Amino acid sequence: MLQKTKVLTLIVFGLLFLNLSAQDDNFSNDKVAKLPDDDRQVRFGLHFNPNLSWLKSNTTGYDGSGTKLGFSYGLMVEFFLTPNSLLSSGIDLLYAGGDLKYKGTTSGLVQNYPADVEQAYNIRYIDLPIVLKLKTNEIGYFSYYGQFGLKVGFNYKANSDNNYSYKDPLYPINQTYTTSVKNAKGDINFINMSLVVGVGVEYNISGNTTLVLGATFNNGFINQLDTKTHQLDANGNATIDTNNEPIYTDKDASANLNYVALNIGVFF
């Protein structure tokens, strides 16, 4: 069902954008309208994009429990295919993440115990987008655009804050403690890929200088977790072997990274 929804979304946006790009040159004799420079083949810009991200769990017993405020920034480059269609790319540094809850075990104590675990991941990626951007002719100083495509990300840093809630058999009351992992790259897969859909507006300041304001939804479709699920007992608690080590199953934990971003940029 999810895959059908993604395909339907692409079809709807594709038809919308094709309609925009197929506009005839009705504005060529309009004194207010301004068309793109036909001689211009490429343009460069900079952007800063605040975002709200979360991890969407695909594993039974794992729940996405919160969102993260983050941002990305980087270089934009766009190639004019026609006056109304562009191939957009660049390189971004992305700060994102999310929270997960699941049944696991304590970590960092002399004795391991079954525990309710909450992990808050902060993940950094180098992103390379490949996006088709289709926009209207410039009317007044404004033009409107829609875009869709793919983004490939490479994880280069991750950390996590972990909260554990457990009971010690000798002191049968709820106890909690928190640890921070400075290097959690081992928990995160190296590659991320996401479907990108967005809309926005451009405002021409002067000459080739243009301000951009838009919004995008980035729907990740590759598992970002590189961990195994815990083996649970009949009571639903994580199991521990005779060597005081957690027992894991052969099943991978799975969660996708999604985020909504506000796009703020300038082309020169």
Side-chain angles (χ1 to χ4, degrees), residues 63-93:
D63 297 314
S65 61
T67 57
K68 291 288 185 185
L69 287 173
F71 61 91
S72 65
Y73 62 92
L75 172 69
M76 302 182 292
V77 57
E78 293 190 342
F79 302 91
F80 284 89
L81 305 177
T82 71
N84 294 103
S85 61
L86 304 93
L87 184 64
S88 182
S89 188
I91 183 168
D92 306 336
L93 295 181

Side-chain angles (χ1 to χ4, degrees), residues 24-132:
D24 54 24
D25 197 9
N26 291 331
F27 304 106
S28 58
N29 297 318
D30 192 329
K31 294 181 180 180
V32 178
K34 297 170 63 180
L35 296 176
D37 184 355
D38 291 336
D39 294 331
R40 197 176 186 197
Q41 301 299 317
V42 63
R43 62 178 182 173
F44 295 90
L46 300 173
H47 72 88
F48 176 81
N49 302 337
N51 68 58
L52 186 66
S53 61
W54 63 95
L55 288 168
K56 182 178 180 297
S57 173
N58 304 310
T59 302
T60 302
Y62 282 64
D63 297 314
S65 61
T67 57
K68 291 288 185 185
L69 287 173
F71 61 91
S72 65
Y73 62 92
L75 172 69
M76 302 182 292
V77 57
E78 293 190 342
F79 302 91
F80 284 89
L81 305 177
T82 71
N84 294 103
S85 61
L86 304 93
L87 184 64
S88 182
S89 188
I91 183 168
D92 306 336
L93 295 181
L94 170 66
Y95 293 66
D99 298 351
L100 290 173
K101 289 183 179 181
Y102 61 92
K103 293 288 187 178
T105 63
T106 57
S107 177
L109 300 180
V110 174
Q111 175 71 39
N112 283 326
Y113 301 100
D116 294 324
V117 183
E118 296 184 29
Q119 285 186 304
Y121 282 107
N122 297 290
I123 314 171
R124 300 182 187 182
Y125 298 88
I126 297 174
D127 276 351
L128 302 175
I130 304 176
V131 177
L132 178 62

Side-chain angles (χ1 to χ4, degrees), residues 192-244:
N192 183 37
M193 294 185 70
S194 58
L195 173 69
V196 181
V197 179
V199 294
V201 60
E202 296 184 6
Y203 176 76
N204 181 263
I205 298 176
S206 177
N208 292 330
T209 305
T210 302
L211 292 179
V212 180
L213 180 64
T216 55
F217 173 57
N218 297 260
N219 187 5
F221 55 86
I222 287 185
N223 177 24
Q224 290 306 282
L225 300 181
D226 190 13
T227 59
K228 299 292 185 181
T229 59
H230 287 264
Q231 178 177 290
L232 305 182
D233 61 20
N235 296 319
N237 296 315
T239 56
I240 298 171
D241 65 19
T242 56
N243 294 319
N244 193 33

